[in-house]
Amino acid sequence: MFKKVLVANRAEIAVRVLRACGERGISTVAVYSEADRSALHVRYADEAYLIGPAPSRESYLRIDKIIDVARKAGVDAIHPGYGFLSENAEFAAACADAGITFIGPSADAIEKMGDKITARETVAKRNVPLVPGSAKGLHNEELAAVAEQIGFPLMIKASAGGGGKGMRAVYKAEEFQSSLDAARREAASAFGNDEVYLEKLITNARHIEIQVLADRHGNTIHLGERECSIQRRHQKLIEEAPSPAVNAELREEMGSVAVAAAESVNYVNAGTIEFLYDANEHKYYFLEMNTRLQVEHPVTEMVTGVDIVKEQIAIADGRRLRYRQQDVAAKGWSIECRITTEDPHSNFMPSTGTVTYLKEPTGPGVRVESALYRGFESSLYYDPMVAKLIVLGDNRAEAILRMRRALSEYRIGGIKTSIPFHQEIMDSTEFIWGTFDTSFVSRRTVGKRTNHTPEFARVAAVAAALIAEEEGRQAVHIGGNQRSENDSTWKRSGRMRAQGGLW
Ligand code: MV4
């Protein structure tokens, strides 16, 4: 097993990975920027090295400096966390060249999945369903012809993009040419690559992703789905596992499709296959594969009991997966709220300042992954996500009530955070019903709800939990979740019962 691992990241994910190393008896090396001198990950590691000024380009993205530290400190492996260099094929290759194990997939798999058109064409060979779209290597006239075939509305996406970057919707044929030019220009300046592709626009769909694990011995398994539809401007805000829209049959189908997608690039390590799911048509479509550990991995860990980061380390060390597909079961329901230093009452404006008071929630079924401490300075150099609050309940209703409880215990003084937003969502009937899709956040204005009072939602949530308790927790799965307009909240709450159990 590795003796020493470098974590090429910062904040909560660096701490998460350092903890996994510690539990495996591996000594740890942190790297940090000038802005992170007193950061938690620096204090948590056995050794820490300054790698440059605050801007990521000059520190956390410097492959040369990080490899240099890794060599000097004599590490066996590097864990990249998420973001920064985690999906950088050049970095994975630089680790290999330096004789250091990259705790992640091969440079080849990163490259294939990083080019979204190549990813589509590669997974299609394994019969993974794609959104109807265009092939690789088409010029403008050919794309215009494909656009006519697909019809409008459609999406133009940057092949080097991902996660919503470099995407634009086109609603009318007349707008196609100018949108295509604009999309190419944007892609060229953002990614240094102006290649784009087309996809039919899928509306009112849910964003559902499947976690996979693959070892070097040809074993690939999935750990079920995460529901990620609660997003704002392509930043996820709340994730849960399982999804209220997925039943056992659909889970098994999407799971084996995800495994096939991973196998199509001989994937090794932890990865995630993103899908759009149209609940009305009962259809799902591959979007892209994320070749890294994801922010929301804890909700899967909570329901499956699999420590994904420890598995990543074991896989990178050449071990066999400790689980076969039939060994993986999920129990209960997990929800994650991303705590960001943004003010939800001012259109999520970034809030800078110093944390003057901090009390993080604890208690049954509560997990906090946090970079916060008293004295923490919120700066504009890095991502505003500073902590994640994760809960586990017996069923969805209990998870919601537990999240409400944990959010009410969370006290962060000195800066504004997204906590009030999360409290409103946990109070919203649409969230409690589980009927939302990716349009949910854009349809809401924080602090201006008119459809019901928080008290009403509180009572509805409590009623749902009581009904679930009374009627017992069978392995019931409610698929589809279509709601007729004249349904009352109360009937709906009653039907929410026992969305949980084993699968
Ligand atoms: C789409 C889509 C609809 N149709 N593609 C966003 C993240 C990236 N991985 C892909 N995304 C989407 N791709 C087609 N053909 C919808 C999304 C999408 C989305 C779009 C607008 C607003 C919120 C969204 C949330 C999740 C996914």
Side-chain angles (χ1 to χ4, degrees):
M1 179 42 86
F2 305 132
K3 288 196 170 61
K4 206 177 196 184
V5 166
L6 182 148
V7 180
N9 214 303
R10 62 181 300 282
E12 68 84 18
I13 195 60
V15 175
R16 166 75 186 90
V17 175
L18 291 167
R19 283 178 168 144
C21 292
E23 287 180 22
R24 281 196 167 271
I26 299 168
S27 57
T28 53
V29 177
V31 291
Y32 63 98
S33 72
E34 284 166 11
D36 279 341
R37 286 178 189 279
S38 53
L40 277 195
H41 76 281
V42 174
R43 286 185 265 166
Y44 209 97
D46 298 316
E47 299 166 45
Y49 297 87
L50 179 67
I51 51 166
S56 324
R57 295 240 148 262
E58 299 172 51
S59 49
Y60 297 105
L61 289 170
R62 284 287 296 266
I63 295 175
D64 55 342
K65 288 193 177 177
I66 292 167
I67 297 285
D68 207 40
V69 169
R71 278 217 181 88
K72 287 199 178 113
V75 307
D76 307 303
I78 297 182
H79 195 301
Y82 53 68
F84 296 125
L85 297 170
S86 61
E87 293 181 284
N88 186 312
E90 193 194 325
F91 183 56
C95 290
D97 290 346
I100 297 163
T101 304
F102 177 74
I103 304 177
S106 67
D108 177 68
I110 296 174
E111 245 163 33
K112 283 207 177 93
M113 288 301 187
D115 182 290
K116 305 305 167 187
I117 308 176
T118 304
R120 279 170 56 89
E121 299 188 347
T122 310
V123 304
K125 293 186 187 136
R126 292 291 306 267
N127 296 321
V128 173
L130 303 180
V131 183
S134 64
K136 200 166 173 69
L138 303 188
H139 39 72
N140 284 4
E141 296 72 43
E142 294 167 310
L143 286 172
V146 176
E148 288 304 322
Q149 273 170 31
I150 296 172
F152 293 87
L154 56 75
M155 287 273 227
I156 306 177
K157 299 185 176 186
S159 192
K165 277 176 280 178
M167 248 174 48
R168 62 170 60 210
V170 186
Y171 294 89
K172 292 187 192 117
E174 303 87 83
E175 296 162 1
F176 181 72
Q177 206 46 244
S178 60
S179 295
L180 182 60
D181 294 341
R184 280 202 194 277
R185 275 196 306 274
E186 277 171 25
S189 80
F191 312 110
N193 174 352
D194 75 350
E195 191 168 18
V196 297
Y197 62 110
L198 311 180
E199 273 183 3
K200 178 178 145 76
L201 178 72
I202 309 292
T203 51
N204 302 109
R206 287 175 181 253
H207 192 166
I208 289 170
E209 58 187 31
I210 305 272
Q211 176 72 55
V212 297
L213 285 177
D215 67 19
R216 288 187 207 277
H217 307 278
N219 305 301
T220 305
I221 63 168
H222 74 86
L223 302 181
E225 81 283 3
R226 293 186 286 260
E227 165 73 61
C228 301
S229 298
I230 311 277
Q231 321 196 351
R232 183 179 176 275
R233 299 187 179 169
H234 302 300
Q235 293 301 313
K236 295 168 188 161
L237 293 164
I238 298 172
E239 304 94 349
E240 53 185 308
S243 163
V246 175
N247 61 21
E249 190 190 351
L250 180 61
R251 174 172 306 116
E252 198 177 312
E253 199 182 314
M254 288 177 79
S256 46
V257 165
V259 166
E263 286 174 346
S264 74
V265 291
N266 299 313
Y267 196 81
V268 171
N269 216 276
T272 300
I273 319 292
E274 278 184 20
F275 294 97
L276 279 178
Y277 175 59
D278 182 335
N280 298 320
E281 304 280 334
H282 297 285
K283 277 189 181 155
Y284 57 90
Y285 309 91
F286 170 86
L287 278 181
E288 52 194 70
M289 178 171 188
N290 301 318
T291 57
R292 58 163 193 277
L293 179 69
Q294 290 200 244
V295 173
E296 59 272 26
H297 76 277
V299 293
T300 301
E301 294 187 324
M302 298 298 269
V303 296
T304 60
V306 176
D307 184 323
I308 295 170
V309 180
K310 276 200 206 162
E311 287 307 306
Q312 284 193 290
I313 296 168
I315 289 165
D317 191 42
R319 301 192 184 204
R320 287 177 177 277
L321 285 177
R322 289 185 298 167
Y323 308 87
R324 292 165 304 173
Q325 190 63 61
Q326 62 264 38
D327 300 329
V328 181
K331 192 172 185 301
W333 206 285
S334 182
I335 303 176
E336 170 177 280
C337 288
R338 296 189 184 192
I339 312 300
T340 67
T341 53
E342 294 171 313
D343 181 2
H345 295 291
S346 304
N347 201 25
F348 288 82
M349 189 173 359
S351 170
T352 55
T354 303
V355 172
T356 53
Y357 181 84
L358 182 67
K359 177 79 178 69
E360 292 187 320
T362 62
V366 174
R367 170 173 171 185
V368 179
E369 298 286 345
S370 172
L372 294 174
Y373 55 94
R374 199 164 64 83
F376 173 93
E377 280 177 43
S378 155
S379 79
L380 298 173
Y381 287 111
Y382 307 113
D383 193 278
M385 197 201 73
V386 291
K388 304 183 303 207
L389 173 55
I390 306 115
V391 299
L392 177 67
D394 263 1
N395 52 49
R396 193 166 184 270
E398 187 180 50
I400 294 172
L401 291 171
R402 195 158 259 173
M403 182 59 84
R404 299 165 49 84
R405 187 267 292 173
L407 286 165
S408 75
E409 288 178 14
Y410 216 143
R411 300 295 155 79
I412 304 172
I415 51 170
K416 297 268 188 1
T417 75
S418 57
I419 289 172
F421 168 84
H422 292 300
Q423 288 177 310
E424 283 202 5
I425 300 300
M426 293 302 131
D427 273 357
S428 87
T429 43
E430 194 175 352
F431 182 77
I432 293 166
W433 287 335
T435 51
F436 52 83
D437 61 34
T438 51
S439 66
F440 180 71
V441 178
S442 60
R443 285 186 279 107
R444 298 177 63 84
T445 313
V446 178
K448 290 190 183 157
R449 289 166 314 109
T450 51
N451 56 342
H452 63 271
T453 65
E455 286 76 12
F456 181 82
R458 237 185 316 274
V459 175
V462 173
L466 289 174
I467 291 160
E469 192 71 45
E470 257 172 36
E471 301 199 354
R473 293 177 204 95
Q474 306 134 10
V476 172
H477 284 273
I478 302 172
N481 272 307
Q482 294 104 327
R483 170 170 63 102
S484 67
E485 281 310 307
N486 58 6
D487 260 12
S488 79
T489 305
W490 298 103
K491 277 197 276 181
R492 190 67 210 175
S493 303
R495 256 181 271 134
M496 240 183 68
R497 65 189 165 268
Q499 292 183 354
L502 284 156
W503 50 264

